Short mmCIF file of all heavy atoms in Angstrom, two decimals:
data_model
loop_
_atom_site.label_atom_id
_atom_site.label_comp_id
_atom_site.label_asym_id
_atom_site.label_seq_id
_atom_site.Cartn_x
_atom_site.Cartn_y
_atom_site.Cartn_z
N GLY A 16 71.76 149.89 85.69
CA GLY A 16 72.64 149.32 84.69
C GLY A 16 73.93 150.08 84.48
O GLY A 16 74.63 149.84 83.49
N VAL A 17 74.28 150.99 85.40
CA VAL A 17 75.46 151.82 85.19
C VAL A 17 76.76 151.01 85.24
O VAL A 17 77.76 151.37 84.63
CB VAL A 17 75.48 152.98 86.24
CG1 VAL A 17 75.79 152.46 87.64
CG2 VAL A 17 76.45 154.07 85.83
N ILE A 18 76.74 149.86 85.97
CA ILE A 18 77.88 148.96 85.94
C ILE A 18 77.66 148.04 84.74
O ILE A 18 77.16 146.92 84.84
CB ILE A 18 78.02 148.17 87.26
CG1 ILE A 18 78.01 149.12 88.44
CG2 ILE A 18 79.31 147.34 87.27
CD1 ILE A 18 79.12 150.15 88.45
N SER A 19 78.03 148.56 83.60
CA SER A 19 77.74 147.95 82.31
C SER A 19 78.76 146.86 81.96
O SER A 19 79.74 146.65 82.68
CB SER A 19 77.78 149.02 81.21
OG SER A 19 79.09 149.58 81.15
N ARG A 20 78.53 146.21 80.86
CA ARG A 20 79.51 145.22 80.37
C ARG A 20 80.88 145.87 80.20
O ARG A 20 81.91 145.28 80.53
CB ARG A 20 79.03 144.62 79.05
CG ARG A 20 80.02 143.61 78.44
CD ARG A 20 79.49 143.02 77.16
NE ARG A 20 78.35 142.15 77.42
CZ ARG A 20 78.45 140.86 77.72
NH1 ARG A 20 79.65 140.28 77.83
NH2 ARG A 20 77.37 140.14 77.91
N GLU A 21 80.89 147.09 79.67
CA GLU A 21 82.16 147.78 79.48
C GLU A 21 82.90 147.97 80.79
O GLU A 21 84.12 147.78 80.87
CB GLU A 21 81.92 149.13 78.80
CG GLU A 21 83.20 149.90 78.52
CD GLU A 21 82.95 151.28 77.94
OE1 GLU A 21 81.80 151.75 77.99
OE2 GLU A 21 83.92 151.91 77.47
N VAL A 22 82.17 148.34 81.84
CA VAL A 22 82.80 148.52 83.15
C VAL A 22 83.30 147.20 83.69
O VAL A 22 84.44 147.09 84.17
CB VAL A 22 81.80 149.16 84.14
CG1 VAL A 22 82.40 149.20 85.55
CG2 VAL A 22 81.42 150.56 83.69
N LEU A 23 82.47 146.16 83.60
CA LEU A 23 82.87 144.85 84.13
C LEU A 23 84.08 144.29 83.38
O LEU A 23 84.99 143.71 83.98
CB LEU A 23 81.69 143.87 84.02
CG LEU A 23 80.48 144.20 84.90
CD1 LEU A 23 79.33 143.25 84.60
CD2 LEU A 23 80.83 144.14 86.38
N GLU A 24 84.11 144.47 82.06
CA GLU A 24 85.24 143.95 81.27
C GLU A 24 86.50 144.76 81.47
O GLU A 24 87.60 144.29 81.15
CB GLU A 24 84.85 143.90 79.80
CG GLU A 24 83.81 142.82 79.49
CD GLU A 24 83.44 142.73 78.02
OE1 GLU A 24 83.75 143.70 77.28
OE2 GLU A 24 82.84 141.72 77.61
N ALA A 25 86.37 145.97 82.03
CA ALA A 25 87.56 146.78 82.32
C ALA A 25 88.29 146.27 83.57
O ALA A 25 89.46 146.61 83.77
CB ALA A 25 87.16 148.24 82.50
N LEU A 26 87.61 145.48 84.40
CA LEU A 26 88.27 144.87 85.55
C LEU A 26 89.25 143.81 85.07
O LEU A 26 88.98 143.09 84.11
CB LEU A 26 87.23 144.24 86.48
CG LEU A 26 86.36 145.22 87.28
CD1 LEU A 26 85.11 144.52 87.79
CD2 LEU A 26 87.16 145.82 88.44
N ARG A 27 90.37 143.70 85.74
CA ARG A 27 91.37 142.72 85.32
C ARG A 27 90.86 141.30 85.56
O ARG A 27 90.00 141.08 86.43
CB ARG A 27 92.68 142.94 86.08
CG ARG A 27 92.61 142.62 87.57
CD ARG A 27 94.00 142.54 88.17
NE ARG A 27 93.97 142.21 89.57
CZ ARG A 27 93.79 140.98 90.08
NH1 ARG A 27 93.59 139.96 89.25
NH2 ARG A 27 93.80 140.78 91.38
N PRO A 28 91.34 140.30 84.81
CA PRO A 28 90.93 138.92 85.06
C PRO A 28 91.19 138.50 86.50
O PRO A 28 92.27 138.76 87.04
CB PRO A 28 91.80 138.12 84.08
CG PRO A 28 92.11 139.07 82.98
CD PRO A 28 92.24 140.41 83.65
N GLY A 29 90.19 137.88 87.12
CA GLY A 29 90.32 137.46 88.51
C GLY A 29 89.99 138.53 89.52
O GLY A 29 90.10 138.30 90.73
N ALA A 30 89.57 139.71 89.05
CA ALA A 30 89.23 140.80 89.98
C ALA A 30 88.00 140.43 90.80
O ALA A 30 87.22 139.55 90.45
CB ALA A 30 88.98 142.08 89.19
N LEU A 31 87.85 141.15 91.91
CA LEU A 31 86.75 140.91 92.83
C LEU A 31 85.70 142.02 92.68
O LEU A 31 86.05 143.20 92.60
CB LEU A 31 87.26 140.90 94.28
CG LEU A 31 88.51 140.06 94.56
CD1 LEU A 31 88.91 140.18 96.03
CD2 LEU A 31 88.28 138.60 94.18
N LEU A 32 84.44 141.63 92.63
CA LEU A 32 83.34 142.60 92.58
C LEU A 32 82.46 142.38 93.80
O LEU A 32 81.99 141.27 94.04
CB LEU A 32 82.51 142.42 91.31
CG LEU A 32 81.30 143.35 91.20
CD1 LEU A 32 81.74 144.79 90.95
CD2 LEU A 32 80.34 142.89 90.11
N VAL A 33 82.24 143.44 94.58
CA VAL A 33 81.40 143.37 95.78
C VAL A 33 80.21 144.29 95.57
O VAL A 33 80.37 145.48 95.26
CB VAL A 33 82.19 143.77 97.04
CG1 VAL A 33 81.26 143.85 98.25
CG2 VAL A 33 83.32 142.78 97.30
N ASN A 34 79.01 143.76 95.75
CA ASN A 34 77.80 144.57 95.59
C ASN A 34 76.91 144.43 96.82
O ASN A 34 76.27 143.40 97.03
CB ASN A 34 77.02 144.15 94.33
CG ASN A 34 75.86 145.09 94.03
OD1 ASN A 34 75.65 146.07 94.73
ND2 ASN A 34 75.12 144.79 92.98
N THR A 35 76.90 145.47 97.64
CA THR A 35 76.00 145.51 98.79
C THR A 35 74.97 146.62 98.60
O THR A 35 74.35 147.08 99.56
CB THR A 35 76.78 145.75 100.09
OG1 THR A 35 77.62 146.91 99.94
CG2 THR A 35 77.63 144.54 100.45
N ALA A 36 74.78 147.06 97.35
CA ALA A 36 73.87 148.16 97.05
C ALA A 36 72.58 147.64 96.44
O ALA A 36 71.65 147.28 97.15
CB ALA A 36 74.57 149.17 96.12
N ARG A 37 72.52 147.55 95.10
CA ARG A 37 71.33 147.07 94.40
C ARG A 37 71.77 146.23 93.21
O ARG A 37 72.69 146.61 92.48
CB ARG A 37 70.45 148.23 93.92
CG ARG A 37 69.79 149.04 95.03
CD ARG A 37 68.68 148.26 95.70
NE ARG A 37 67.94 149.06 96.68
CZ ARG A 37 68.25 149.14 97.95
NH1 ARG A 37 69.31 148.49 98.42
NH2 ARG A 37 67.53 149.89 98.78
N ALA A 38 71.09 145.12 92.99
CA ALA A 38 71.40 144.27 91.84
C ALA A 38 71.19 145.01 90.53
O ALA A 38 71.92 144.81 89.55
CB ALA A 38 70.53 143.00 91.87
N GLU A 39 70.20 145.90 90.50
CA GLU A 39 69.83 146.59 89.26
C GLU A 39 70.89 147.57 88.78
O GLU A 39 70.81 148.08 87.65
CB GLU A 39 68.50 147.33 89.45
CG GLU A 39 67.32 146.43 89.70
CD GLU A 39 67.12 146.08 91.17
OE1 GLU A 39 68.03 146.36 91.98
OE2 GLU A 39 66.05 145.53 91.51
N LEU A 40 71.89 147.84 89.60
CA LEU A 40 72.98 148.70 89.16
C LEU A 40 73.82 148.02 88.08
O LEU A 40 74.49 148.70 87.30
CB LEU A 40 73.90 149.04 90.34
CG LEU A 40 73.33 149.86 91.49
CD1 LEU A 40 74.34 149.93 92.62
CD2 LEU A 40 72.94 151.26 91.02
N VAL A 41 73.79 146.70 88.06
CA VAL A 41 74.73 145.91 87.26
C VAL A 41 74.03 145.24 86.09
O VAL A 41 72.91 144.75 86.22
CB VAL A 41 75.40 144.83 88.15
CG1 VAL A 41 76.46 144.06 87.37
CG2 VAL A 41 76.01 145.46 89.40
N ASP A 42 74.70 145.21 84.94
CA ASP A 42 74.24 144.44 83.78
C ASP A 42 74.30 142.96 84.18
O ASP A 42 75.38 142.36 84.20
CB ASP A 42 75.14 144.72 82.58
CG ASP A 42 74.73 143.97 81.32
OD1 ASP A 42 74.16 142.85 81.44
OD2 ASP A 42 74.99 144.48 80.22
N GLN A 43 73.15 142.37 84.48
CA GLN A 43 73.11 141.02 85.03
C GLN A 43 73.56 139.96 84.04
O GLN A 43 74.20 138.97 84.41
CB GLN A 43 71.71 140.71 85.55
CG GLN A 43 71.31 141.53 86.76
CD GLN A 43 72.15 141.21 87.98
OE1 GLN A 43 72.29 140.06 88.38
NE2 GLN A 43 72.74 142.25 88.59
N ASP A 44 73.24 140.14 82.78
CA ASP A 44 73.67 139.16 81.77
C ASP A 44 75.19 139.13 81.67
O ASP A 44 75.81 138.06 81.63
CB ASP A 44 73.06 139.50 80.41
CG ASP A 44 71.56 139.27 80.38
OD1 ASP A 44 71.05 138.48 81.20
OD2 ASP A 44 70.88 139.88 79.53
N ALA A 45 75.80 140.32 81.62
CA ALA A 45 77.26 140.39 81.53
C ALA A 45 77.91 139.85 82.80
O ALA A 45 78.92 139.13 82.74
CB ALA A 45 77.70 141.83 81.29
N LEU A 46 77.33 140.16 83.94
CA LEU A 46 77.88 139.67 85.21
C LEU A 46 77.85 138.15 85.27
O LEU A 46 78.84 137.52 85.65
CB LEU A 46 77.08 140.27 86.37
CG LEU A 46 77.48 139.81 87.78
CD1 LEU A 46 78.91 140.24 88.09
CD2 LEU A 46 76.52 140.36 88.83
N LEU A 47 76.72 137.56 84.89
CA LEU A 47 76.59 136.11 84.93
C LEU A 47 77.60 135.46 83.98
O LEU A 47 78.26 134.47 84.33
CB LEU A 47 75.17 135.71 84.55
CG LEU A 47 74.83 134.23 84.62
CD1 LEU A 47 75.00 133.70 86.04
CD2 LEU A 47 73.41 133.98 84.13
N GLU A 48 77.74 136.02 82.80
CA GLU A 48 78.67 135.47 81.81
C GLU A 48 80.11 135.52 82.30
O GLU A 48 80.86 134.53 82.22
CB GLU A 48 78.52 136.26 80.51
CG GLU A 48 79.47 135.82 79.40
CD GLU A 48 79.35 136.72 78.17
OE1 GLU A 48 78.22 137.15 77.85
OE2 GLU A 48 80.40 136.99 77.55
#
């Protein structure tokens, strides 16, 4: 969960996120939203 909502919201609108590591690194609820 280290890629938290705060981290995701710090990306600019329209930014690209690439994850070839593990899904569990990312706050899935925030990512989906």
Side-chain angles (χ1 to χ4, degrees):
V17 71
I18 308 300
S19 62
R20 178 179 291 273
E21 182 184 13
V22 173
L23 294 174
E24 290 182 344
L26 289 161
R27 68 166 181 80
L31 313 178
L32 178 71
V33 174
N34 188 1
T35 52
R37 292 289 186 269
E39 295 87 349
L40 296 173
V41 184
D42 181 330
Q43 292 295 307
D44 291 338
L46 177 63
L47 184 61
E48 178 185 323

